[in-house]
Amino acid sequence: MLPIILQLFKETRDPAFSRAIEYISHDLAREHSPDNGYRRLPPEARSHVRRVGLFYDDVGKLVAFGVVDERLIIGSYGTNIVCMWDDLSPYIYRERILSTKAMLFFEDLAARAKARPLPSVHAELGLAHCPPSE
């Protein structure tokens, strides 16, 4: 399981992944309507959506099948999972109407993250605090 987790962490530290997150957060809705889903977006926008959406869909599969502890994923990415789902869900839901039942595991992961907010996972784990010395 450790190689899987390390690969997940590596992906989210990739500058291209960060650019995709930034694009989705700031530009996607401003530049493109969700009316045609995400598969009909221009190539660069579609690439960003697929990179982030399919990543979280794959992570959602690992969580749903019990391969990776939900607390590890939500404790690490919970806020971002919810934000990305909120930004992408109009495109994903429209895509489901137009073609296929896409990213069901991403949706499940987002629902889990909304039901179990990141601070509650951190509290459950008993993460310690160490504020700066004065």
Side-chain angles (χ1 to χ4, degrees):
M1 179 169 61
L2 185 59
I4 293 170
I5 294 166
L6 292 175
Q7 186 60 40
L8 295 177
F9 291 161
K10 182 179 177 184
E11 173 66 15
T12 59
R13 285 168 174 75
D14 185 310
F17 189 85
S18 296
R19 282 191 299 277
I21 294 281
E22 187 172 323
Y23 176 80
I24 291 165
S25 297
H26 301 292
D27 300 320
L28 178 62
R30 184 175 46 78
E31 293 178 3
H32 305 286
S33 164
D35 291 346
N36 293 315
Y38 67 84
R39 291 176 192 222
R40 291 158 200 82
L41 289 169
E44 184 177 7
R46 183 175 61 243
S47 175
H48 290 316
V49 170
R50 288 177 50 82
R51 180 164 199 156
V52 172
L54 293 176
F55 171 78
Y56 284 127
D57 195 57
D58 287 344
V59 172
K61 291 170 189 163
L62 296 172
V63 169
F65 286 99
V67 175
V68 176
D69 188 330
E70 176 180 301
R71 294 174 307 161
L72 174 63
I73 299 305
I74 295 173
S76 300
Y77 305 121
T79 302
N80 201 41
I81 292 166
V82 171
C83 290
M84 288 297 97
W85 177 256
D86 288 346
D87 289 342
L88 292 175
S89 61
Y91 299 86
I92 295 168
Y93 265 73
R94 184 66 181 151
E95 192 64 44
R96 289 177 184 176
I97 291 167
L98 296 170
S99 65
T100 185
K101 297 292 181 199
M103 302 191 202
L104 296 171
F105 290 94
F106 180 13
E107 182 173 15
D108 176 72
L109 184 62
R112 290 172 189 248
K114 283 185 180 187
R116 196 176 196 180
L118 185 119
S120 70
V121 173
H122 290 173
E124 184 181 323
L125 293 170
L127 294 184
H129 298 278
C130 189
S133 304
E134 290 188 27

